Amino acid sequence: MSEQPIDRQEYNITAYTENQIGLLNRIAIIFSRRKINIESLNTSPSEIDGIHRFNIVIHETEEVVRKIAKQIEKQVEVLKVYFNTNQEVIWQEMALYKVPTDIIAEKASVERLLREYGARAVVIRRDYTVFETTGHREETDNLIKVLQPYGLIEFVRSARIAIIKHSDGFNRKLREFERTEPGSEVIENEFLNSRDKVFTM
């Protein structure tokens, strides 16, 4: 009897948190205990003042991702956690490429290739030029292969940033929660006039 294939794919975990020292380490431990490799990790301010946003990319099954999301949400400083497939988010990564300036100047084909990939020069020096591009992993990886024959000196890619397609955002949910918090309105206690009976042993 053959085993069913495990349906693993890339998931984007989005966590809204307070900005507290040590939280990143505790979140990382949740993954390391389960021997799950983090493909990408980005932290940044969110749309809410004072609240940070983690974007974590892992390659796992939905069941495992669901359990991890619940475990992260148990951390005191974590306000809310979402998880989505790549199809459910709009995502980008930024990449920088350092190439010899003389090669770029000599070979028009290199300049044309860079334009095709939407790359723009951010630093131009006599000895090297640094180009920047944004896109999906496959796009930035393909440009590495294109530039290797022309003497690619250095390459670096950022962590992924992602926005959930079909979401009202955590900001709205937080505002709704604030509206439902206990207010200053006095509500009559049904036992108020019977306190002697209630508290008599």
Side-chain angles (χ1 to χ4, degrees):
M1 190 175 186
S2 61
E3 291 183 16
Q4 292 293 320
I6 298 172
D7 190 20
R8 294 168 78 243
Q9 62 175 311
E10 272 193 350
Y11 279 92
N12 299 265
I13 298 172
T14 305
Y16 286 89
T17 76
E18 295 174 8
N19 189 20
Q20 295 289 332
I21 294 169
L23 178 60
L24 176 58
N25 185 49
R26 279 182 279 124
I27 288 175
I29 286 169
I30 291 170
F31 292 92
S32 62
R33 279 184 182 156
R34 292 176 176 266
K35 294 181 172 54
I36 294 171
N37 187 44
I38 294 174
E39 304 286 338
S40 175
L41 169 63
N42 177 67
T43 65
S44 73
S46 74
E47 63 276 15
I48 307 161
D49 188 35
I51 302 299
H52 269 57
R53 179 177 177 143
F54 281 66
N55 193 77
I56 303 165
V57 180
I58 61 172
H59 196 262
E60 263 304 337
T61 63
E62 183 179 347
E63 184 185 359
V64 169
V65 175
R66 190 182 303 279
K67 287 176 182 174
I68 285 171
K70 284 181 181 176
Q71 205 167 352
I72 293 171
E73 212 167 51
K74 285 179 183 176
Q75 301 295 313
V76 174
E77 303 91 340
V78 176
L79 305 172
K80 186 65 184 169
V81 177
Y82 302 95
F83 64 90
N84 301 93
T85 64
N86 284 347
Q87 292 72 37
E88 296 168 335
V89 297
I90 297 162
W91 63 275
Q92 293 283 284
E93 294 173 346
M94 188 186 83
L96 296 176
Y97 309 80
K98 186 200 282 185
V99 293
T101 300
D102 56 353
I103 299 270
I104 301 298
E106 285 174 16
K107 297 186 182 293
S109 58
V110 181
E111 193 178 344
R112 190 180 68 249
L113 283 166
L114 289 163
R115 274 203 310 272
E116 284 174 15
Y117 281 90
R120 67 182 189 94
V122 289
V123 172
I124 301 173
R125 290 175 38 135
R126 287 171 63 183
D127 50 343
Y128 66 81
T129 299
V130 176
F131 290 94
E132 172 200 279
T133 186
T134 57
H136 287 184
R137 178 74 51 93
E138 300 78 18
E139 295 166 316
T140 54
D141 277 352
N142 285 341
L143 189 50
I144 298 173
K145 294 170 191 169
V146 166
L147 292 175
Q148 284 289 11
Y150 299 103
L152 179 64
I153 301 167
E154 204 171 335
F155 165 77
V156 65
R157 179 170 39 221
S158 73
R160 179 181 299 186
I161 54 172
I163 284 179
I164 303 165
K165 285 180 183 176
H166 304 293
S167 168
D168 293 334
F170 183 62
N171 193 8
R172 182 173 170 181
K173 287 182 173 56
L174 186 64
R175 299 293 167 251
E176 286 172 1
F177 175 73
E178 285 174 348
R179 283 196 295 273
T180 59
E181 276 189 329
S184 56
E185 186 182 343
V186 177
I187 297 171
E188 194 69 33
N189 189 318
E190 61 180 301
F191 299 110
L192 192 62
N193 296 324
S194 312
R195 62 180 181 273
D196 291 340
K197 292 176 185 174
V198 172
F199 295 107
T200 301
M201 296 296 285

